[in-house]
């Protein structure tokens, strides 16, 4: 009898508790599922606000219209179409990343300066600088590069990457950790043959001994150097891409990135020598060397690579998505 009463009691409790259990289960799924299904929404970036740094005016425009001006400013229109397409996707991704990870300007998404954002130029100004009779051809090529990759961007683990790019890697790209200290898993060191065929591959900077002293004292008041002694300027360490990571000048040790800033070098990939009353920096490459190389991409395009293959050559473990 007691067992029968216990059985009925259990059934009654079960009947009343089952709806609660299932209801809570559905509520839990309703809360969790949006997070599981949450994806990067590209559509919200269809228009951007662009700051014109020379005037302070903020102009709102369609993202692709903005990209026409970026690609036209950042990459020569004489480059291969597939290289221009790759630049368009890289620039689109870089734009979205910057907006999502903290705007640099209070009332604008991006600016037209390469010092803080990406370079940008209006169609009118670009026409004025291009070769006479080639303007329409070049502009149509830029527009095709952007439009044919419309909506394409680069993702790592479902998020837009910090798609950094530069002019010429000097033959080998660099890791971001060696430039700014930030370690991004999608950057890698790769070699690109053919970059030596571009004018941006090599350059020289010559400063007098007095100029060197003056420039160093601007940064380091305790700086001293005795040119009568040997090894007063010496490269101490290099990165795997052969860029200078540590340089000693007199009694001060600085990074190659800092030397680039102090002496106006185009790259941290350099050699240095004292020639009588002057110091000569022999430089390879143009830019920080991280990520996408513009000259390298043009070389790859000339060798038959399409824009997706070019992008995947410079960034590791990424996907190109719409």
């Amino acid at each position: 009898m007691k067992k029968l009463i216990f059985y009925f009691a259990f059934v009654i409790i079960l009947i009343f508790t089952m709806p609660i259990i299932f209801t809570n289960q559905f509520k839990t799924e309703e809360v969790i599922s949006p997070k599981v299904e949450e994806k990067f929404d590209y559509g919200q970036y269809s228009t951007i606000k662009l700051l014109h740094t020379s005037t302070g005016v903020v102009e709102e425009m369609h993202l692709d219209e903005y990209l026409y001006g970026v690609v036209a400013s950042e990459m020569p229109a004489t480059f291969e179409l597939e290289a221009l397409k790759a630049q368009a996707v890289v620039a689109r991704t870089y734009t979205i990343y910057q907006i999502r990870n903290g705007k640099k300007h209070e009332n604008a998404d991006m600016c037209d300066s390469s010092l803080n954002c990406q370079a940008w130029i209006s169609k009118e100004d670009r026409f004025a600088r291009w070769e006479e009779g080639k303007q329409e051809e070049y502009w149509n090529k830029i527009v095709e590069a952007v439009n044919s990759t419309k909506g394409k961007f680069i993702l790592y683990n479902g998020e837009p990457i910090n798609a950094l790019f530069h002019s010429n890697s000097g033959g080998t790209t660099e890791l971001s950790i060696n430039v700014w200290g930030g370690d991004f898993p999608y950057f890698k060191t790769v070699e690109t043959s053919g970059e030596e065929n571009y004018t941006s591959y090599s350059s020289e900077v010559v400063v007098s001994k007095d100029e060197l002293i003056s420039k160093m004292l601007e940064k380091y008041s305790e700086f001293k150097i005795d040119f009568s002694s040997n090894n007063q300027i010496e490269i101490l360490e290099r990165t795997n891409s052969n860029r200078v990571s540590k340089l000693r000048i007199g009694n001060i040790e600085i990074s190659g990135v800092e030397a680039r800033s102090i002496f106006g070098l185009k790259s941290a990939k350099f050699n240095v020598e004292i020639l009588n009353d002057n110091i000569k920096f022999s430089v390879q490459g143009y830019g920080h060397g991280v990520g996408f190389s513009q000259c390298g991409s043009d070389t790859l395009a000339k060798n038959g690579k399409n824009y997706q293959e070019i992008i995947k050559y410079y960034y590791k473990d990424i996907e190109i998505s719409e």
Side-chain angles (χ1 to χ4, degrees), residues 29-251:
E29 289 175 353
E30 287 172 2
V31 172
I32 292 175
S33 61
K35 292 183 181 179
V36 172
E37 295 175 2
E38 183 179 359
K39 292 183 179 179
F40 159 61
D41 180 13
Y42 171 71
Q44 64 181 299
Y45 304 102
S46 58
T47 61
I48 71 160
K49 293 180 179 179
L50 173 65
L51 171 66
H52 298 284
T53 52
S54 61
T55 62
V57 173
V58 175
E59 179 183 3
E60 187 169 318
M61 64 179 66
H62 191 278
L63 175 60
D64 289 336
E65 181 187 352
Y66 163 70
L67 291 175
Y68 299 155
V70 172
V71 177
S73 183
E74 288 284 3
M75 181 175 276
T78 54
F79 276 20
E80 295 291 314
L81 180 59
E82 291 301 312
L84 289 163
K85 289 180 181 179
Q87 177 69 76
V89 177
V90 167
R92 182 182 291 112
T93 307
Y94 177 84
T95 301
I96 295 170
Y97 179 91
Q98 295 301 319
I99 296 173
R100 286 170 63 83
N101 290 274
K103 298 177 184 179
K104 298 179 180 179
H105 303 281
E106 185 177 352
N107 299 316
D109 298 314
M110 298 291 286
C111 70
D112 59 6
S113 169
S114 61
L115 297 177
N116 294 311
C117 305
Q118 301 174 116
W120 181 91
I121 192 170
S122 68
K123 181 179 179 179
E124 294 73 25
D125 288 343
R126 182 73 275 179
F127 270 47
R129 300 181 190 183
W130 271 334
E131 178 186 349
E132 190 69 30
K134 288 283 189 177
Q135 292 99 327
E136 288 293 341
E137 175 190 340
Y138 288 164
W139 186 256
N140 290 339
K141 191 176 178 182
I142 298 293
V143 170
E144 181 182 353
V146 174
N147 289 354
S148 63
T149 60
K150 188 177 183 66
K152 298 283 189 181
F153 48 89
I154 309 165
L155 296 180
Y156 179 85
N157 284 345
E159 287 291 319
I161 71 168
N162 187 10
L164 298 173
F165 58 92
H166 56 279
S167 175
N168 191 309
S169 73
T172 312
T173 61
E174 182 59 280
L175 298 176
S176 62
I177 195 169
N178 293 329
V179 181
W180 303 286
D183 189 13
F184 295 85
Y186 40 78
F187 290 128
K188 57 181 177 177
T189 300
V190 296
E191 294 183 2
T192 307
S193 61
E195 287 187 304
E196 66 275 8
N197 298 322
Y198 299 81
T199 57
S200 57
Y201 178 78
S202 61
S203 58
E204 288 183 357
V205 171
V206 178
V207 296
S208 69
K209 291 178 177 178
D210 288 340
E211 284 180 296
L212 180 136
I213 293 170
S214 176
K215 288 178 181 294
M216 287 296 292
L217 283 172
E218 286 179 12
K219 189 72 181 290
Y220 299 98
S221 59
E222 71 276 21
F223 173 71
K224 293 179 182 178
I225 191 168
D226 180 8
F227 283 110
S228 64
S229 300
N230 294 327
N231 300 325
Q232 288 298 291
I233 302 178
E234 186 178 12
I235 294 173
L236 303 177
E237 292 179 8
R238 290 185 182 271
T239 68
N240 289 338
S241 70
N242 206 34
R243 286 170 174 79
V244 176
S245 57
K246 188 182 292 185
L247 171 72
R248 183 177 58 78
I249 303 179
N251 64 330

